Amino acid sequence: GAVVSQHPSRVICKSGTSVKIECRSLDFQATTMFWYRQFPKKSLMLMATSNEGSKATYEQGVEKDKFLINHASLTLSTLTVTSAHPEDSSFYICSARQDGNYGYTFGSGTRLTVV
Amino acid sequence: DAKTTQPPSMDCAEGRAANLPCNHSTISGNEYVYWYRQIHSQGPQYIIHGLKNNETNEMASLIITEDRKSSTLILPHATLRDTAVYYCIVRGAIIQGAQKLVFGQGTRLTINP
């Protein structure tokens, strides 16, 4: 079945630094990937749609200059949290869809803690 | 995409069938019903999806009412590992490219020993 690998699973960084999260589709090509964030005991909130070879589409209220998305190949999308602050601490999850009307496959998530 | 309404929480005894309801009264003719679940601190896991016919796979069954305004996810023999938040999502068919999945609040299902 379709597998999406997300790395790292946990990261702690200092305020003001940048953190990059990778999302890879291991056994299929993904023209489009999605990035979500999730706060404790809350649902997933879609941040942006990552399109291979073009600019990401951000949801309303999500700062594109803060959350940089790059989708340089059909199997890799990256999310960079720039100038991280403690309020950016959250669980970040990516997903991708294999061609055909299958369900979307999600990565295992990245727990970001900004100190 | 149509909005869905789910109870915030449910309990079920281990070994019994867990029936999770979902209302989607504004669903349109070409929209599918998807179910995902999220076990604590993991990414969501696909369970099943359907358009208008009932569906069954190795994980669960999906019962969609004739008017398609509601559906029920059935876990036939719930185990402790089925404890998770279950999300019911309605979205259109994928024609070209990919359409985003928007999550509601889901149902927190607790399976009790």
Side-chain angles (χ1 to χ4, degrees):
Chain A
V3 178
V4 172
S5 174
Q6 191 172 338
H7 181 81
S9 58
R10 292 177 180 272
V11 58
I12 301 173
C13 72
K14 292 184 177 180
S15 288
T17 62
S18 296
V19 175
K20 180 184 285 188
I21 302 170
E22 292 187 348
C23 180
R24 294 180 184 272
S25 55
L26 295 187
D27 49 1
F28 67 98
Q29 293 183 331
T31 306
T32 305
M33 293 184 177
F34 303 89
W35 287 96
Y36 295 82
R37 69 186 297 183
Q38 186 176 32
F39 292 108
K41 298 190 182 301
K42 299 294 185 182
S43 184
L44 285 78
M45 183 191 79
L46 181 66
M47 298 175 66
T49 301
S50 172
N51 304 299
E52 187 268 336
S54 64
K55 291 182 180 180
T57 304
Y58 290 83
E59 295 298 303
Q60 192 172 8
V62 178
E63 299 176 59
K64 62 180 181 180
D65 295 330
K66 180 166 187 62
F67 299 100
L68 300 179
I69 292 173
N70 183 275
H71 195 154
S73 77
L74 287 172
T75 59
L76 174 64
S77 175
T78 60
L79 168 68
T80 301
V81 183
T82 63
S83 186
H85 291 284
E87 56 264 32
D88 298 324
S89 298
S90 189
F91 192 52
Y92 293 86
I93 308 168
C94 69
S95 77
R97 184 188 65 82
Q98 190 172 15
D99 286 342
N101 202 12
Y102 299 102
Y104 290 62
T105 303
F106 286 78
S108 54
T110 298
R111 175 83 50 198
L112 170 64
T113 303
V114 184
V115 297
Chain B
D1 295 329
K3 186 176 178 180
T4 61
T5 304
Q6 299 176 252
S9 63
M10 292 183 64
D11 284 82
C12 179
E14 188 179 17
R16 305 296 294 269
N19 298 293
L20 291 90
C22 179
N23 286 322
H24 31 79
S25 58
T26 60
I27 192 170
S28 62
N30 64 349
E31 289 184 314
Y32 286 73
V33 179
Y34 282 79
W35 283 85
Y36 284 79
R37 73 179 183 184
Q38 185 180 26
I39 296 170
H40 183 64
S41 293
Q42 297 181 24
Q45 176 189 24
Y46 167 78
I47 301 174
I48 199 167
H49 75 284
L51 182 61
K52 55 182 179 181
N53 297 321
N54 297 336
E55 303 288 344
T56 296
N57 62 20
E58 64 277 6
M59 290 184 67
S61 294
L62 174 61
I63 308 298
I64 302 174
T65 57
E66 194 168 340
D67 63 8
R68 302 208 323 122
K69 293 184 177 183
S70 65
S71 60
T72 302
L73 178 74
I74 301 173
L75 307 178
H77 304 286
T79 70
L80 298 179
R81 286 179 293 183
D82 291 321
T83 292
V85 178
Y86 287 76
Y87 296 97
C88 167
I89 303 168
V90 170
R91 47 138 302 149
I94 298 167
I95 303 173
Q96 187 175 4
Q99 291 178 301
K100 55 190 179 184
L101 281 180
V102 178
F103 286 76
Q105 295 307 305
T107 296
R108 184 173 297 276
L109 175 66
T110 303
I111 306 300
N112 300 307

